[in-house]
Structures are given as structure tokens and as C-alpha cells.
Amino acid sequence: MMIKGITLRGLEVFETLARNGSVAQTSAQLGLSQPAISQQMRNLESALNAELIDHSRRPMQLTPAGTHFLRRAEAALAELRLAQSEMTVMDLAHVEALSIGIIDDFDDSLTPRLATMLADSLTGCRFRMITASSNDLLQAMTDRQLHLAISATTGAPLDGAVAHPLARDPFLLVAPRDMTVTPGALPDPGGLPYLRYDAGQLIQSQIDAQRGAALAPYPARFEIGSHLALMAMVARGIGWTITTPLGYMRAHRFHDALAGHALPGDAFSRQIVLLASADWAGDVPSNVARTMRRLLQTHMVDPALAALPFLAGQLQVSEPL
């Protein structure tokens, strides 16, 4: 039996507050007033008869009891969110054919889950799923080779397609864990080299558009087309790079040798969207988008914010239009 006074909202408030240590940031992220955040925490601590957060420190820090309870709360919330996402897949029995492309960033985590969830609902449907780079997916949508595509975009509209926002994926600096990175500055151009993505990839064009001048002093020695290869090189101490948290989380096998840092200057992000052919009728795109947002929250955004808490308020699942 659930202890009286423990609510799902209270657990969500505690999880978010533990992650960012700020009532103001928690308020903005959850859409609750600051007094409501404080009241939720008082209710939860009263129900548990334990102090979870040391309110005397800024940013707030967990007490030993809070650290222990957070692990349990995160596990419980993750299971609830996964169950919720599995229940939101629509009945697709009426769909005769569905072709969907998914950005290759999600190959290790979200794509297998979405594929099985969709396949369970597609009775008698011709179903095609591919993974590819964002540029290839955008071109496939332009050429009307796909019904749906989950891709990164620059935010510019795509002719013949309707965009359903999924997530905002900010850029960050990733360096070897033992490399000293000065806050508010890029690494010394005379030190370890800057490792670029392949110039033909959308992610590198976005980095160049926002930081081209600042990166001009760095020799173009390395240009890597594979994200995992790029992260492996950083983990080996060959250089440092600029990527996004969703990309960083894909390289979980290298995390012991990597460190994420805030990127100097104004924050900028790439947008992850679900694109649907403009002539698609019905609610399939919006329902798939809703399911994808929940998968993103549970399997990518929440773990990324736990590992990279300085991205609180930047990395987040998007609200539907």
C-alpha cells in the first residue's frame, strides 16, 4: 500500500529538484509555482518522516536519506513512464502501409522500443522502418519516400511536411575525463585537437553556423562521420568535441572516460521533430509523436540530466503544438 501523502506529483517534484538543486528551475520545468514546489516537498518529507534535501545549502543537496530514496523514486517513475508510453500506441489496424525513418542517434535505445511497439499495433500493415542521418531523412521526406521521419532539424520548415516537436537537444563540450577544461572558455588551440563531425552532417553545419568564428583557430585535422567513433577517440584522449546530450548518451560505454561541460557563449540547440507528410490524414503522426516524447523522457532526457545536471532547463522534451 502506498504511504499516505506520497503522490506521483510529489515524486516528480523531488526527482526534478534533486537533479537541478533549484526551486526556481524546478518551477519552470514542471510548470508549478515555487510555493507549490515547496509544499510538495514538505508533504513528501512529512509522509516519509525524513528530510530528503538539505535546504540550508545552495544549490540544494540531498541528505543521505534523500540519496537513497531518489534511487527508488527514479526507478518507480521510469517504470510508470515506460508503462504509460506502451499504453499510448494507437490501434493501427486500419493503416495499410507505414514507412518511417529514424535518426541513427537512437539506434541503441529508442528505435528498438518504438519498432516493437508499432509492430504490435500494425496488423496486416506493410511496415518499413529505416535508420539514417538527419540529412538523408530530410531528403527522403522531400522526395516523398517516407510517411514519417524522426529527425534533427535546424528549425526551418520543410516543404510538404508537418513538424511535431519532440525535444530540444542543446550542444555541449565533451572532453577526456582527465583533461582540464576552464569554465567559460574553449580549450587551448595548442592543446588536444578539436574533433569535428563530418562536414556533410547536419550536426556539424549547425555547430559551424553558431561557433564557426570561435573554432576557426583550431586545425581541421579530424573529421569523423561515425558518432561512436568520435566518442571513442575522445575517450582515448585523442581530442575533444562538441556534440549534444542525446548523442552523448548513445556513447554510454565510454562515459567512464568522458566528461561533459557547458559550452561557452550563448546556449544553442538542435530540434528533434517528427515530420509527417502533409497529406497524411488522421491522428497517427500526433500519437506516434506523443509516444516518442515519453520514450525520450524516460530513456534519454532523464538519464542525461542525471549525468549532466548543468543542462537543466535546456535539455527537455517539447510540448505538442
Side-chain angles (χ1 to χ4, degrees):
M1 176 181 289
M2 180 77 79
I3 299 174
K4 185 177 180 180
I6 296 180
T7 65
L8 289 178
R9 176 57 83 182
L11 294 178
E12 288 179 329
V13 166
F14 171 58
E15 179 190 46
T16 307
L17 186 58
R19 185 186 303 134
N20 59 44
S22 165
V23 172
Q25 289 187 34
T26 301
S27 172
Q29 189 168 338
L30 296 182
L32 296 174
S33 68
Q34 293 188 33
I37 296 295
S38 299
Q39 186 62 54
Q40 287 287 348
M41 283 305 305
R42 285 194 295 270
N43 293 345
L44 182 60
E45 290 180 324
S46 176
L48 294 170
N49 195 27
E51 288 191 357
L52 302 177
I53 291 179
D54 184 348
H55 299 271
S56 67
R57 307 185 67 174
R58 295 292 184 273
M60 294 180 184
Q61 294 186 8
L62 296 180
T63 63
T67 300
H68 177 76
F69 186 68
L70 178 63
R71 290 195 294 268
R72 303 295 187 183
E74 287 178 329
L77 288 170
E79 287 298 320
L80 287 169
R81 287 165 181 153
L82 179 58
Q84 186 179 35
S85 68
E86 289 174 342
M87 293 299 291
T88 59
V89 177
M90 71 304 297
D91 179 9
L92 300 177
H94 64 287
V95 179
E96 296 182 357
L98 177 65
S99 59
I100 181 170
I102 304 180
I103 188 173
D104 47 19
D105 297 52
F106 300 148
D107 278 355
D108 296 343
S109 54
L110 301 194
T111 301
R113 289 181 170 90
L114 183 62
T116 54
M117 292 165 70
L118 288 174
D120 285 343
S121 301
L122 291 165
T123 57
C125 170
R126 296 193 310 277
F127 180 45
R128 174 174 172 250
M129 174 179 280
I130 65 168
T131 60
S133 69
S134 293
N135 279 337
D136 288 342
L137 292 175
L138 296 176
Q139 188 60 53
M141 287 297 297
T142 299
D143 295 341
R144 299 187 174 245
Q145 296 175 354
L146 295 171
H147 296 121
L148 306 174
I150 295 170
S151 173
T153 74
T154 60
L158 186 71
D159 288 343
V162 176
H164 299 258
L166 299 179
R168 185 172 68 181
D169 192 22
F171 286 85
L172 74 157
L173 189 155
V174 178
R177 185 166 292 277
D178 60 0
M179 176 179 165
T180 300
V181 176
T182 303
L186 291 174
D188 183 353
L192 288 181
Y194 164 50
L195 310 180
R196 290 171 164 83
Y197 284 95
D198 176 72
Q201 293 189 0
L202 180 63
I203 190 170
Q204 189 60 50
S205 66
Q206 291 178 279
I207 294 169
D208 290 341
Q210 293 288 335
R211 293 291 189 272
L215 294 171
Y218 297 86
R221 289 185 54 202
F222 296 95
E223 211 173 284
I224 311 300
S226 163
H227 174 78
L228 288 180
L230 187 66
M231 291 293 102
M233 292 173 68
V234 176
R236 286 290 298 272
I238 295 172
W240 59 276
T241 193
I242 296 173
T243 187
T244 70
L246 296 190
Y248 174 84
M249 293 308 294
R250 186 183 174 197
H252 53 84
R253 73 186 74 171
F254 303 121
H255 282 181
D256 287 347
L258 299 173
H261 304 272
L263 196 60
D266 294 336
F268 67 104
S269 306
R270 64 175 184 166
Q271 307 302 314
I272 308 297
V273 303
L274 181 140
L275 295 166
S277 175
D279 57 6
W280 185 285
D283 58 1
V284 171
S286 60
N287 286 336
V288 173
R290 184 172 64 248
T291 296
M292 193 66 186
R293 288 187 196 100
R294 287 174 172 152
L295 289 173
L296 277 164
Q297 185 74 55
T298 300
H299 298 286
M300 300 292 279
V301 173
D302 287 344
L305 289 174
L308 306 164
F310 62 88
L311 292 174
Q314 298 181 51
L315 171 63
Q316 56 190 25
V317 169
S318 302
E319 294 293 330
L321 295 177

